[in-house]
Amino acid sequence: MTKPIVVFDLDGTLVDTAPDLLDSLNHCLSQSGLEKVDPVALRRFVGHGGRVMIERAFEAQKKLLSPEQLDWLVELFLEHYGSHMPGRSQLFVGAHEAMDRLAAAGYTLAVCTNKFEMLSVKLLTELGQAGRFAAICGGDTFAFRKPDPRHLTETILRAGGDPAHAVMVGDSRTDIDTAKAAGIPVVAVDFGYTDLPVETFEPSRVISHFDELTPDMARGLIMATAD
């Protein structure tokens, strides 16, 4: 019988990467003669990736940004971020223990993120976590990405799982919409990177700490979906 699987988003869900992503953004801004960003104001956009972060920072300072300049800054952002990994990024409190509980209960673990696969693997490797996951699939792993539900279902299949016995854990509307479109229950963490409270998007369950993510919860969500 196929083992049940829990699929995690990465940034803002498993790992707090905001400090390093904001450092890379500020590096780009300093190269453009702009002021550093307010971390509180920009944190909610971290989950949208470097391109959106750069666009929002320029908008906030009412500076024009040409498509060519944006492309250059995105490359600069990725180079800076990748070369300083893992920096100050770390697992959210309780994530390590939650994954231990799930693995001990027979769950396969995987990652489905819109972060580039190479950066995702590198980050998890540097944090000593990559070996936990049967699959780590990024935004460039397939020809589609979240919120396309195939990104999630193909990640599950690559990990040797079955979408009918799966749970998604994420922090954003993108994660929630992806899981819903795939017919997979989704647990939303409320401490991640989102511009609106995750409750707004009606996930299957909301948690405020990884202590709440248990094998019993995952089992119950899978069974409820099967019914």
Side-chain angles (χ1 to χ4, degrees):
M1 181 178 176
T2 302
K3 293 169 62 175
I5 183 169
V6 176
V7 184
F8 294 90
D9 174 52
L10 187 53
D11 296 59
T13 300
L14 271 183
V15 183
D16 185 6
T17 53
D20 297 307
L21 291 167
L22 290 169
D23 282 349
S24 295
L25 174 61
N26 281 325
H27 174 68
C28 292
L29 297 179
S30 68
Q31 295 296 308
S32 304
L34 273 67
E35 298 176 4
K36 291 184 177 181
V37 300
D38 173 9
V40 175
L42 265 293
R43 182 182 172 89
R44 60 185 175 146
F45 294 114
V46 166
H48 295 284
R51 182 174 294 271
V52 172
M53 291 170 66
I54 293 167
E55 290 174 335
R56 295 294 185 272
F58 270 74
E59 289 173 7
Q61 298 186 40
K62 295 181 172 57
K63 300 293 184 180
L64 294 177
L65 179 63
S66 70
E68 294 77 17
Q69 185 182 15
L70 177 58
D71 288 342
W72 172 70
L73 288 173
V74 169
E75 290 298 320
L76 185 65
F77 178 96
L78 292 172
E79 188 280 327
H80 184 273
Y81 178 64
S83 64
H84 290 79
M85 191 176 289
R88 293 180 287 157
S89 295
Q90 57 186 338
L91 288 175
F92 281 104
V93 175
H96 192 284
E97 293 80 3
M99 290 189 288
D100 282 347
R101 287 193 299 272
L102 291 165
Y107 284 79
T108 297
L109 305 179
V111 168
C112 179
T113 173
N114 278 346
K115 193 186 203 80
F116 287 145
E117 181 181 324
M118 181 184 70
L119 291 175
S120 303
V121 172
K122 182 176 181 181
L123 175 61
L124 289 168
T125 299
E126 293 289 342
L127 292 174
Q129 303 298 318
R132 287 183 178 272
F133 303 104
I136 300 172
C137 297
D140 58 339
T141 302
F142 308 110
F144 35 79
R145 56 188 286 173
K146 297 183 297 186
D148 189 316
R150 293 175 296 173
H151 191 179
L152 175 55
T153 55
E154 289 299 319
T155 297
I156 291 167
L157 294 174
R158 179 168 290 196
D162 179 352
H165 297 91
V167 174
M168 173 78 183
V169 183
D171 72 310
S172 68
R173 179 174 187 168
T174 298
D175 297 320
I176 295 166
D177 287 350
T178 301
K180 285 183 174 181
I184 292 171
V186 56
V187 176
V189 301
D190 66 5
F191 46 75
Y193 313 143
T194 178
D195 51 350
L196 291 172
V198 287
E199 295 90 339
T200 307
F201 312 118
E202 301 182 343
S204 309
R205 194 72 60 85
V206 177
I207 62 173
S208 298
H209 193 287
F210 270 114
D211 285 353
E212 302 171 64
L213 182 62
T214 64
D216 284 345
M217 174 195 281
R219 188 177 304 110
L221 291 171
I222 291 171
M223 290 177 65
T225 304
D227 293 342

